[in-house]
């Protein structure tokens, strides 16, 4: 069964550094998402992406964040200058059609020290 | 977005049915009811969704009240692998999903 994959599984970075989290969505999917989950808290929507542009974003997704689909397979989340409070699990998801079920990856644990 | 209310936690015995309730009294006519679950240390996983009629799939059943103000996710025979946080989410025209705190299901052997 096709699945969403994410790399790395764990990323440790120092405050102020840039990080790029990578995702490979399911190949025929058209809509892509990033969510995050701070330890012990709920899953929070960050951004949705369709047709090479952001379709929706939450208040969390500020100027420090950006997303890109650099080729036909990868979908990336960049955090320009990480802060301690960016430490969280970051989940990528994809879906074939808008409002259909979303398929989530296993997540990347980001630790900012 | 319309809000959902779920119990914080529930317990079940292995091999027994589990009924997970969700209240959504402010649901609108175009809101779909989605259920996801999150197993420990994993990403959320789609379970089932419906609009008005009850729905069945290989994982679960979804019973939707006639007035649509509540719904129940039914796991017919709980296994230890079903221990997870279950989220009831209403989706309208927006493409994103807003997760609540969900119900933490514990399955006892």
């Amino acid at each position: 069964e096709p699945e969403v994959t994410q790399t790395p599984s764990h990323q440790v970075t120092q405050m102020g550094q840039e990080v790029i989290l990578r995702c490979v969505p399911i190949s025929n999917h058209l809509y892509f998402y990033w969510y995050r989950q701070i330890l012990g808290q709920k899953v929070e929507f960050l951004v949705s992406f369709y047709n090479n542009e952001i379709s929706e974003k939450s208040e969390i997704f500020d100027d420090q964040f950006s997303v890109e689909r650099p080729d036909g397979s990868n979908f990336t989340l960049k955090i320009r200058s990480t802060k301690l409070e960016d430490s969280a699990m970051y989940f990528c998801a994809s879906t074939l059609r808008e409002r259909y079920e979303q398929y989530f990856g296993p997540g990347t644990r980001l630790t900012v020290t | 977005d319309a809000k959902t209310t779920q119990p914080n936690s529930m317990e079940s015995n292995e091999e027994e049915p589990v009924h997970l309730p969700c209240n959504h009294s402010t649901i609108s006519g175009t809101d779909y009811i989605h259920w996801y679950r999150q197993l420990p240390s994993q990403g959320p996983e789609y379970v089932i969704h419906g609009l008005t009629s009850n729905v069945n799939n290989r994982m679960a059943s979804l019973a939707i009240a006639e007035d649509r103000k509540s719904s129940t996710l039914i796991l017919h025979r709980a296994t230890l692998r079903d221990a997870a946080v279950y989220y009831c989410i209403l989706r309208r025209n927006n493409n994103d999903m807003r997760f609540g705190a969900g119900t933490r299901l514990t399955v006892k052997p």
Side-chain angles (χ1 to χ4, degrees), chain A residues 2-56:
Chain A
E3 57 183 21
V4 176
T5 59
Q6 291 185 242
T7 54
S9 57
H10 189 191
Q11 173 94 46
V12 181
T13 189
Q14 289 191 325
M15 198 167 50
Q17 295 297 303
E18 174 184 287
V19 293
I20 297 176
L21 309 183
R22 291 185 166 80
C23 167
V24 179
I26 293 173
S27 63
N28 62 337
H29 284 187
L30 301 175
Y31 296 82
F32 314 108
Y33 311 84
W34 283 102
Y35 294 81
R36 79 172 186 191
Q37 186 173 32
I38 295 170
L39 186 64
Q41 298 187 23
K42 64 182 182 181
V43 177
E44 300 174 290
F45 167 75
L46 292 178
V47 65
S48 61
F49 191 85
Y50 169 72
N51 201 24
N52 280 320
E53 59 182 33
I54 291 173
S55 46
E56 291 179 55

Side-chain angles (χ1 to χ4, degrees), chain B residues 17-55:
Chain B
V18 183
H19 290 230
L20 296 163
C22 180
N23 286 321
H24 29 78
S25 57
T26 59
I27 191 170
S28 80
T30 56
D31 284 336
Y32 280 78
I33 302 159
H34 282 244
W35 284 82
Y36 282 74
R37 70 181 185 180
Q38 188 174 20
L39 301 169
S41 302
Q42 294 189 28
E45 175 187 29
Y46 168 78
V47 178
I48 201 166
H49 77 280
L51 183 61
T52 56
S53 304
N54 295 344
V55 185

Side-chain angles (χ1 to χ4, degrees), chain A residues 13-21 54 57 61-68 77-83 86 90 110:
Chain A
T13 189
Q14 289 191 325
M15 198 167 50
Q17 295 297 303
E18 174 184 287
V19 293
I20 297 176
L21 309 183
I54 291 173
K57 60 182 180 178
F61 194 89
D62 62 22
D63 292 344
Q64 291 298 311
F65 292 89
S66 62
V67 289
E68 194 177 38
L77 174 70
K78 182 194 290 186
I79 308 175
R80 260 178 273 281
S81 177
T82 49
K83 304 190 274 284
D86 293 327
Y90 287 81
L110 176 65

Side-chain angles (χ1 to χ4, degrees), chain A residues 1 31 33 35 37 42-43 45 48 55-59 91 95 98-102 104-106, chain B residues 32 34 36 38 41-46 49 58 87 91-101:
Chain A
E1 189 173 318
Y31 296 82
Y33 311 84
Y35 294 81
Q37 186 173 32
K42 64 182 182 181
V43 177
F45 167 75
S48 61
S55 46
E56 291 179 55
K57 60 182 180 178
S58 73
E59 54 280 0
F91 295 107
T95 188
E98 202 172 18
R99 297 189 297 281
Y100 272 36
E101 60 267 29
Q102 296 183 10
F104 285 76
Chain B
Y32 280 78
H34 282 244
Y36 282 74
Q38 188 174 20
S41 302
Q42 294 189 28
E45 175 187 29
Y46 168 78
H49 77 280
R58 63 176 177 83
Y87 301 99
R91 299 189 68 189
R92 196 175 295 171
N93 297 322
N94 55 308
N95 201 13
D96 60 320
M97 285 199 298
R98 307 289 172 144
F99 288 77

